Amino acid sequence: MRMKTFSAVDYGVVIGYLLVIAAIGSSFYRRKTTAKEYFLGGRSMWWLPVGISLIAADLSAISVMGSPAWSFRNNMMLLWLSVGYPLMAPVVIKVFVPFYARLNLYTAYEYLEKRFNVSVRAITSLLFQLLRVAHVALVIYAPSLVINLVTGMPVWQCVLLMGAFTTFYTTLGGMRAVIWTDVIQFCTVSLGITLIFVTAVGSVDGGLPVAYRTALEGGRLEFFNLSTDPKELTSLWACLIGGMVLCMSPLTTDQAILQRLFTTKSEQDCRRSIILQCLLIIPIGTLLYLAGVALYSFYKLNPSRIEGLSNPDAVMPLFAVRELPVGISGLIIAAIFAASMAVMSAGINSLTTATIVDFYQRMLRPGRSPEHYAMAGRVGTALWGTAATLLALHAGRLGALALAYNKVSSYLSGPLLGIFLLATLTRRSNSAGVLMGAAAGSVVVAYVAMTTEWSFFWYGPIGVVVTFATGYAASLLGPAPPASSIEGFVIGSQPAERREAVQSN
């Protein structure tokens, strides 16, 4: 039987989708705009699209294809990582949201300057930028490689399509374009994954009962691994504890995530956005893993249909191209593009914001007009988008980085979160202490990684504990921070103006 291939109609659907997204995103262009409008949507965004945009930030094409591929090959155990969001949301809402909402920040690293000094701000901002541009490049490259295997579309074409269209509408539309196109991308991805699941189950002779029994017998529905061995990658404890850090760190330290929250109208709307993310993240994660299980059942019972699959990460697009009707296949591939574009648009916008606010405005060109910084933001977005796209074109040469990126993130998420926890929870920590703590946390995590075979999900918790403990102890050896960096910047303390108002009454 001749296998169905990617048709001209499917190509048309993908190109048409990209054009529509670019048109919608660029429709937010305003010739005369301010930095507040361009970077933060005027701080007037509705909490509902912001909450959906937070979810879209986690749905890169790597996860959209990788999660089904994992359950196709293994089981459902990694779903426990998503549980970290509802577990840590109360902490984020109670500890961090009040500061971020009250201080009217553009970047999270502005807070660190207020709490410590400009050096801490610059170091953390620069570290974010280096990691985020590498992440954006890999988010573009990895799915392009897989799509090439199943459709024949050259990798460079996939990279340029995503890079050019996303850079275009993000440069013109700013943060409003990011958030509203994220909503469209999320809906497209959800529809695509649902179609994969329903079609795969429906294509099994005997339907859902047979598909369920096949997956159960194959171990693909295994959900609990209660091993206490730290070498077990998917143990419940590694996924839960490590997942709590991996979920909490972006919501507190990552500009690409926080910038979305900074666009909301009020502290209450900020909380609502986080709660919405927590309510939706587990269902969408479950759907992704169940899609992989459904694909396992289908191909287990139809082994001839999987011939030619050289990369298991391509199992979902392979199914879309071969088994779905013409046009629908194109929609699924468009959904994969959509996932990458959502992450890329937010990534290059946040990179630009950090560059302009933390370096250009703070150190190079202070005191310019809001319109000047908005224009600088447009230029910066175009430059960052071009840089990420060019890096993605050569990402095949960065194999070690591509393989190690998740581990590198695990190395650094703990120390970064430790810095922010020291800032918000302790009065005695100072700038020298927190930098020493972060250095110690990074060294210990690197040592554990090099000398043990522990699951890298443990790296984050280890980094947080070592950074916090060392940072606090080192701070005790130095002078206490001035009151101006404590009052209003540490949980339980009041801003000076509020305290004076209370005393006067």
Side-chain angles (χ1 to χ4, degrees):
M1 181 179 174
R2 185 173 179 270
M3 296 290 186
K4 174 179 167 290
T5 59
F6 207 61
S7 70
V9 173
D10 293 315
Y11 277 108
V13 170
V14 173
I15 298 298
Y17 178 84
L18 294 176
L19 289 171
V20 168
I21 289 296
I24 293 173
S26 59
S27 70
F28 292 98
Y29 172 76
R30 299 291 181 272
R31 184 176 180 181
K32 293 184 178 181
T33 189
T34 64
K36 180 180 178 181
E37 180 66 29
Y38 186 77
F39 292 127
L40 301 178
R43 298 191 193 273
S44 61
M45 294 300 296
W46 186 26
W47 62 269
L48 183 61
V50 172
I52 294 174
S53 182
L54 290 176
I55 303 170
D58 281 327
L59 289 178
S60 72
I62 295 175
S63 59
V64 167
M65 292 188 299
S67 298
W70 172 269
S71 55
F72 172 79
R73 287 177 292 178
N74 300 283
N75 47 53
M76 297 276 290
M77 293 178 185
L78 286 184
L79 184 58
W80 284 108
L81 292 172
S82 301
V83 178
Y85 282 100
L87 289 177
M88 299 313 298
V91 178
V92 174
I93 290 172
K94 176 67 176 178
V95 176
F96 292 93
V97 168
F99 293 118
Y100 291 155
R102 179 175 55 80
L103 295 174
N104 292 321
L105 304 173
Y106 279 79
T107 76
Y109 318 110
E110 289 180 272
Y111 164 72
L112 292 181
E113 179 179 356
K114 297 177 184 294
R115 177 62 180 85
F116 297 119
N117 60 27
V118 70
S119 297
V120 178
R121 173 183 180 177
I123 290 171
T124 52
S125 181
L126 182 61
L127 185 59
F128 157 77
Q129 291 175 56
L130 292 174
L131 287 174
R132 180 56 60 177
V133 71
H135 180 242
V136 170
L138 291 171
V139 159
I140 301 171
Y141 173 76
S144 298
L145 187 63
V146 174
I147 292 173
N148 165 259
L149 294 176
V150 298
T151 68
M153 184 184 296
V155 172
W156 68 269
Q157 288 185 7
C158 297
V159 169
L160 289 181
L161 277 173
M162 283 189 287
F165 279 101
T166 308
T167 301
F168 174 74
Y169 76 72
T170 307
T171 298
L172 291 180
M175 198 60 190
R176 289 185 185 274
V178 170
I179 291 177
W180 283 112
T181 54
D182 275 359
V183 173
I184 299 172
Q185 316 283 38
F186 173 78
C187 294
T188 305
V189 169
S190 300
L191 175 61
I193 297 299
T194 302
L195 287 172
I196 291 286
F197 174 75
V198 171
T199 305
V201 171
S203 299
V204 172
D205 290 338
L208 183 60
V210 174
Y212 173 80
R213 184 167 63 251
T214 302
L216 189 64
E217 293 172 354
R220 296 310 189 269
L221 293 176
E222 291 181 1
F223 192 57
F224 293 98
N225 177 0
L226 299 178
S227 171
T228 56
D229 184 353
K231 298 178 183 178
E232 285 283 336
L233 176 68
T234 58
S235 75
L236 174 64
W237 321 114
C239 289
L240 268 182
I241 299 174
M244 289 166 66
V245 174
L246 289 175
C247 294
M248 184 177 179
S249 185
L251 281 170
T252 55
T253 70
D254 190 335
Q255 177 64 20
I257 304 298
L258 288 170
Q259 193 167 335
R260 291 164 161 92
L261 294 177
F262 295 163
T263 66
T264 54
K265 302 175 184 178
S266 64
E267 181 178 334
Q268 184 180 26
D269 278 0
C270 185
R271 292 197 299 265
R272 287 172 174 169
S273 297
I274 295 173
I275 292 170
L276 178 64
Q277 179 196 29
C278 294
L279 291 176
L280 293 181
I281 195 71
I282 293 180
I284 193 66
T286 302
L287 180 61
L288 284 168
Y289 287 110
L290 285 178
V293 172
L295 292 174
Y296 168 81
S297 297
F298 172 78
Y299 285 121
K300 181 70 174 179
L301 299 171
N302 301 276
S304 64
R305 305 295 299 176
I306 202 172
E307 292 178 2
L309 179 67
S310 58
N311 183 348
D313 286 334
V315 65
M316 189 185 75
L318 178 78
F319 180 87
V321 170
R322 290 184 175 178
E323 310 300 335
L324 294 178
V326 171
I328 302 299
S329 298
L331 178 64
I332 301 301
I333 300 303
I336 295 173
F337 275 106
S340 281
M341 291 169 68
V343 175
M344 181 183 177
S345 65
I348 60 177
N349 187 273
S350 62
L351 282 165
T352 302
T353 305
T355 302
I356 298 300
V357 174
D358 291 329
F359 292 93
Y360 183 79
Q361 179 181 356
R362 176 64 178 83
M363 302 176 185
L364 300 177
R365 294 290 188 274
R368 300 299 177 92
S369 68
E371 292 76 15
H372 173 85
Y373 295 123
M375 180 57 66
R378 285 206 170 99
V379 175
T381 302
L383 292 176
W384 273 118
T386 302
T389 303
L390 292 176
L391 184 60
L393 286 172
H394 299 282
R397 302 176 185 178
L398 303 175
L401 176 61
L403 293 174
Y405 182 79
N406 283 335
K407 291 185 179 180
V408 171
S409 296
S410 296
Y411 293 167
L412 297 175
S413 62
L416 280 173
L417 179 57
I419 289 175
F420 277 82
L421 289 174
L422 282 165
T424 56
L425 298 181
T426 69
R427 291 173 172 267
R428 190 60 178 79
S429 58
N430 55 38
S431 58
V434 299
L435 291 178
M436 291 176 62
S442 300
V443 168
V444 171
V445 168
Y447 176 80
V448 171
M450 291 187 292
T451 60
T452 74
E453 297 179 357
W454 285 17
S455 166
F456 67 81
F457 292 133
W458 288 112
Y459 299 169
I462 291 171
V464 170
V465 172
V466 173
T467 298
F468 192 91
T470 306
Y472 190 76
S475 295
L476 293 177
L477 300 177
S484 60
S485 69
I486 301 298
E487 303 304 333
F489 301 114
V490 177
I491 190 170
S493 66
Q494 291 183 339
E497 61 273 13
R498 184 181 300 176
R499 186 177 64 254
E500 292 170 2
V502 171
Q503 291 173 351
S504 64
N505 291 335

